Amino acid sequence: MTRARPQRGRQLPIVAVTPFPRAAASALRDTRLRANLGRATRTIREKRAAVVAEVPDWERLRDRAARVKDDVIDRLPQLVAQFARAATAAGATVHHAVDAAAANAVVTELVRAQGVDRVVKVKSMATQEIGLNEALAAAGVTAVETDLAELIVQLADDTPSHILVPAIHYDRGQIREIFARRMPGFTADSDDPAVLAGAARDYLRRTFLAARVAICGANFAVAETGSLVVVESEGNGRMCLTLPDTLIAVVGVEKLLPRFADLGDFLRLLPRSSTGERMNPYTSIFTGVTPGDGPRRLHVVLLDNGRRRIAADPVGRAALRCIRCSACLNVCPVYERVGGHAYGSVYPGPIGAILSPQLTGQDAGHNATLPYASTLCGACYDVCPVKIDIPAILVHLRQQGPKPAAERAAMAWLAWTMRDRRRWRAALRTARAGGRPLRVLTRRHGGRLRRAPWPLSAWTTHRDAPLPADESFRDWWSRTRGS
Amino acid sequence: MAPDLSALFAVRAGDYRAGVRQCTPAELPDLLATLLAGASGVVLPAGTPPDWTTRLGPPTLSGDTLTAAELDAPGLAVLTGCALAVAETGTLVLDGGAAQGRRLLTLVPDHHVCVVRAEQIVADVPDLVIALSDPTRPLTMISGPSATSDIELNRVEGVHGPRRLDIVCLPPA
């Protein structure tokens, strides 16, 4: 595969252009956003908990799924080759894209070859990650998102804020306004979700029937059979997978599963974790092309875009197990308050905080701030269907990533001090002496310091600092047990 | 198949707003006629058992030749069988075999009526994956009518796929 030239001046939509703390601060001032997110995540959390509780062997399922995905990460090149052989034998054409630019170039070329200026799209995180719609637009091709939430976001000229529900930050009233402003022929004065969904159906019907090229992603790709699996709710996926002549699938290599039988576990885990349903309304599984049913041409673009590099990191590689269910977003106290846009990536929330910096490298934009976008409470690990220890990876990335100069200096001094008992005791004595006069001043706040002078102010902007105890344990021991 | 699987399948399919009915093979033609009475036409895939359609009122159309635009005609319904069904999740599985036809037949019309034989029902999704005779056929798993949770995460039925799904369960032969 020839490497296309990178598009200059365009950051991938997985690069944060604002440091997370600054982006979060402005999101926190939006009370309507907080209300919308709180309501939506509470709804989905309750539904998920109910259907997960129905499955007696849930923990065993998670363990098995994690093992299968680890095996995939261990054998990526081998499984990629196996999938390519099986899919090709079934009539698909397989392309390998090393990065976003290469994938965009391949897809653009395939669309051009069909001579169309409009394509329909199934919701796909991989195409979001590489900024495919923008690349197609630059080549004069309009990509029409057909998933209801993606359509809402597209009509609003916005970006997705959630992996599963890209328009989670809007309430029904806002969605009605967007439709009234941007959807031709929309006249409904109701903001009832059923009415809004019906309007999207009418609006997209013609588009589906006229579409000649569709672009999709895949939830799973089976190496053994060369099959692709698309899991959805609305039927827009089935429309795109069966009506047009040409179908182009963009699939991250981590979506592979070794055997078809592996789908049994994953198709139980995904809907329950994702939408809180026992099963999503529609799942399509297709292998190559089938004469007389569906597209005549199937192209599969297998995307690396940093995945093999992540696979080489013994701790960070577990992020590649992710099946994009979004359960971690819905339980995250940080995500629930700041929303998806604060993360500056199409992958928001806890999984985004470990995926975006690893896909791009921590030197890209402000992605190095993302591993700090967490309280390390561990709720994400508890709900993850493939048991990604997100807090452990966050800590790992913090250790690897850049640190502020002041913090580096403080830690170096502390390390030097703690290496020697005499230095350490002297330092504690100094701290106690310094803390004593402050004890009176801070009595109102339970003996905690609300604001420290610079450079310690960097610490106390967001938290109180405890004062050192009046007496160290060693002093107390020698005073009371007298030696 | 154990009768409890049929009962569980019926409950679970109903949970996701499919209409579920049980009948004997002798009652089937009349029940299908009732369910499809309001349709402007009924699309039939190749291999539909002739005794399913003996009582139908609306005209029948052969699913083999219809284009997508023709399937989009107002008021059309489609009548199919299935390859397998899953009790735990109330899911129908179609693989394009006899009485199922091309994938778009069960997608474009607004009303889908599906006949399930008790012996086609398996317990859960892993059993389904094992029971599939040929995993490389184009497979569609259907659980209730099309739906979305994209607006405030409240489920709404009826988006791009059929807005109504009726399932008829036949007892073990």
Side-chain angles (χ1 to χ4, degrees):
Chain A
M1 160 123 328
T2 51
R3 276 197 54 166
R5 268 182 327 191
Q7 289 132 333
R8 260 179 228 302
R10 263 193 49 223
Q11 288 274 44
L12 278 192
I14 48 174
V15 176
V17 291
T18 313
F20 179 82
R22 194 144 26 104
S26 61
L28 286 169
R29 284 193 289 273
D30 184 344
T31 49
R32 190 168 188 182
L33 171 76
R34 289 241 299 283
N36 292 350
L37 280 170
R39 200 173 36 237
T41 51
R42 201 165 40 247
T43 307
I44 196 83
R45 280 200 301 269
E46 286 163 8
K47 281 163 66 174
R48 178 202 160 273
V51 294
V52 165
E54 278 182 6
V55 182
D57 54 348
W58 185 256
E59 290 306 318
R60 271 217 313 278
L61 263 181
R62 292 175 77 210
D63 286 327
R64 270 208 306 267
R67 274 202 303 275
V68 168
K69 276 292 183 185
D70 282 347
D71 173 45
V72 169
I73 300 163
D74 284 340
R75 299 192 290 136
L76 264 183
Q78 182 193 338
L79 291 173
V80 165
Q82 190 187 2
F83 174 88
R85 274 197 307 274
T88 305
T93 310
V94 178
H95 310 258
H96 300 272
V98 64
D99 60 13
N104 288 335
V106 171
V107 176
T108 306
E109 198 42 53
L110 290 171
V111 172
R112 273 219 187 99
Q114 296 305 316
V116 297
D117 60 359
R118 263 168 90 80
V119 298
V120 285
K121 277 191 71 205
V122 191
K123 185 176 172 319
S124 145
M125 291 310 299
T127 61
Q128 289 276 4
E129 174 191 324
I130 61 177
L132 177 64
N133 291 9
E134 294 76 12
L136 286 170
V141 177
T142 307
V144 182
E145 292 290 352
T146 62
D147 169 84
L148 178 55
E150 291 277 5
L151 176 70
I152 292 164
V153 167
Q154 193 174 40
L155 289 173
D157 286 325
D158 196 0
T159 53
S161 72
H162 190 278
I163 289 174
L164 171 76
V165 200
I168 194 171
H169 52 295
Y170 292 124
D171 59 35
R172 57 184 73 188
Q174 291 165 305
I175 294 167
R176 198 202 72 80
E177 284 164 30
I178 292 164
F179 280 10
R181 212 172 50 238
R182 301 294 307 274
M183 188 186 275
F186 180 84
T187 52
D189 55 1
S190 159
D191 61 7
D192 177 35
V195 172
L196 296 170
R201 176 191 173 101
D202 297 341
Y203 171 69
L204 285 173
R205 246 315 135 125
R206 303 278 134 248
T207 308
F208 285 133
L209 293 172
R212 289 176 43 214
V213 178
I215 297 173
C216 68
N219 295 89
F220 306 103
V222 182
E224 177 187 28
T225 54
S227 313
L228 295 177
V229 183
V230 174
V231 174
E232 53 144 346
S233 297
E234 297 169 17
N236 63 303
R238 290 178 67 196
M239 290 273 179
C240 294
L241 300 178
T242 54
L243 290 176
D245 257 354
T246 304
L247 177 62
I248 303 166
V250 181
V251 184
V253 290
E254 84 287 2
K255 293 293 177 75
L256 284 162
L257 292 177
R259 294 159 301 271
F260 193 84
D262 295 323
L263 285 173
D265 283 347
F266 283 90
L267 288 177
R268 286 177 85 202
L269 287 164
L270 178 57
R272 290 180 196 255
S273 299
S274 189
T275 50
E277 295 164 303
R278 292 188 196 108
M279 201 68 198
N280 52 289
Y282 298 132
T283 299
S284 297
I285 306 178
F286 54 100
T287 309
V289 290
T290 307
D293 187 349
R296 285 183 301 162
R297 279 175 296 275
L298 171 63
H299 292 273
V300 185
V301 182
L302 293 174
L303 173 73
D304 189 296
N305 206 29
R307 284 159 175 77
R308 274 184 209 207
R309 207 185 51 247
I310 299 177
D313 181 317
V315 179
R317 70 201 310 247
L320 294 179
R321 292 180 197 162
C322 175
I323 55 173
R324 310 287 190 265
C325 77
S326 74
C328 61
L329 277 60
N330 302 330
V331 297
C332 177
V334 178
Y335 176 86
E336 190 184 353
R337 284 158 185 81
V338 303
H341 290 152
Y343 296 82
S345 163
V346 299
Y347 297 119
I351 187 65
I354 62 171
L355 208 50
S356 309
Q358 292 199 90
L359 283 168
T360 60
Q362 293 212 50
D363 50 356
H366 288 284
N367 276 7
T369 63
L370 293 175
Y372 293 87
S374 166
T375 63
L376 303 181
C377 77
C380 47
Y381 182 32
D382 292 343
V383 298
C384 177
V386 286
K387 278 188 108 158
I388 303 170
D389 190 345
I390 296 177
I393 299 178
L394 287 166
V395 171
H396 171 70
L397 292 174
R398 290 180 188 188
Q399 287 164 343
Q400 283 186 330
K403 314 258 184 313
E407 183 183 325
R408 275 204 309 273
M411 288 297 161
W413 174 83
L414 201 59
W416 177 81
T417 310
M418 290 174 90
R419 263 200 300 271
D420 178 286
R421 199 177 63 178
R422 273 179 315 231
R423 286 202 290 259
W424 177 236
R425 285 174 67 175
L428 285 182
R429 265 199 306 275
T430 313
R432 275 199 300 279
R436 232 164 255 132
L438 292 172
R439 217 156 271 293
V440 185
L441 297 175
T442 58
R443 194 166 298 150
R444 277 186 309 133
H445 308 304
R448 300 175 75 79
L449 196 58
R450 303 292 294 275
R451 272 190 208 80
W454 190 92
L456 297 176
S457 56
W459 174 269
T460 55
T461 308
H462 298 291
R463 17 174 142 53
D464 296 347
L467 291 172
D470 246 347
E471 186 176 34
S472 74
F473 176 81
R474 284 172 183 281
D475 292 351
W476 169 84
W477 182 268
S478 45
R479 186 167 59 79
T480 53
R481 299 288 190 281
S483 52
Chain B
M1 261 300 133
D4 56 346
L5 279 192
S6 296
L8 180 61
F9 171 77
V11 170
R12 292 292 164 84
D15 276 354
Y16 285 128
R17 310 282 169 83
V20 187
R21 287 168 183 76
Q22 321 261 5
C23 77
T24 63
E27 295 163 339
L28 182 65
D30 278 323
L31 177 54
L32 291 176
T34 310
L35 289 172
L36 291 160
S40 62
V42 179
V43 178
L44 300 176
T48 305
D51 56 334
W52 288 7
T53 56
T54 50
R55 315 279 295 164
L56 287 187
T60 58
L61 306 135
S62 160
D64 288 351
T65 52
L66 290 171
T67 64
E70 288 166 331
L71 285 167
D72 193 40
L76 276 194
V78 59
L79 171 62
T80 70
C82 65
L84 290 160
V86 184
E88 173 73 24
T89 56
T91 302
L92 304 166
V93 185
L94 279 67
D95 69 358
Q100 298 161 67
R102 292 172 294 157
R103 286 172 288 176
L104 57 95
L105 295 188
T106 54
L107 174 67
V108 182
D110 218 12
H111 184 196
H112 178 197
V113 179
C114 183
V115 179
V116 181
R117 300 194 318 272
E119 51 271 20
Q120 292 177 308
I121 303 173
V122 299
D124 202 349
V125 177
D127 308 286
L128 161 76
V129 170
I130 292 160
L132 285 168
S133 56
D134 176 4
T136 64
R137 299 178 71 104
L139 298 164
T140 307
M141 300 165 67
I142 299 173
S143 314
S146 69
T148 182
S149 302
D150 280 351
I151 300 170
E152 298 180 5
L153 286 176
N154 285 314
R155 192 181 153 102
V156 177
E157 272 81 23
V159 197
H160 301 295
R163 278 182 272 212
R164 288 166 58 209
L165 173 66
D166 282 302
I167 300 173
V168 180
C169 299
L170 294 172

